[in-house]
Amino acid sequence: SLGLGEKVELSDVTSTQAQVSLNDQAIAQEIRRRIELRKEKKFKEADVIREALLSQGIVLEDQPGGKTIWYRK
């Protein structure tokens, strides 16, 4: 356990849990879309996804090397 929230490192969006809920799958799908938008330099669209997830209590942290960490507040 990592403490305050569930932190998952996403190289290709993976979960450390054996079973992933549909909610987690939906979050992972949105993060994949955001990663693709960032690769295409569509930062405004990527920020819309970040803000939408944040409004649902999901915090994204971009890491060096293009990885994204997420956790629930």
Side-chain angles (χ1 to χ4, degrees), residues 13-69:
V13 184
T14 57
S15 174
T16 57
Q17 297 176 330
Q19 287 191 331
V20 179
S21 72
L22 290 176
N23 195 28
D24 286 355
Q25 288 176 354
I27 292 165
Q29 182 177 350
E30 288 301 295
I31 293 171
R32 276 191 214 99
R33 281 186 44 218
R34 182 176 172 272
I35 290 169
E36 288 305 312
L37 288 168
R38 288 173 50 85
K39 285 179 184 177
E40 296 169 10
K41 300 195 184 306
K42 295 180 179 177
F43 299 111
K44 283 186 179 184
E45 292 93 333
D47 286 344
V48 169
I49 293 172
R50 174 191 288 274
E51 292 301 318
L53 290 171
L54 185 59
S55 74
Q56 297 175 41
I58 305 300
V59 178
L60 303 182
E61 294 179 5
D62 295 322
Q63 303 289 311
K67 294 183 180 183
T68 298
I69 303 283

Side-chain angles (χ1 to χ4, degrees), residues 4-7 21 23-24 27 57-59 70-73:
L4 293 174
E6 174 186 1
K7 282 199 175 191
S21 72
N23 195 28
D24 286 355
I27 292 165
I58 305 300
V59 178
W70 72 270
Y71 60 92
R72 289 180 172 88
K73 289 198 316 187

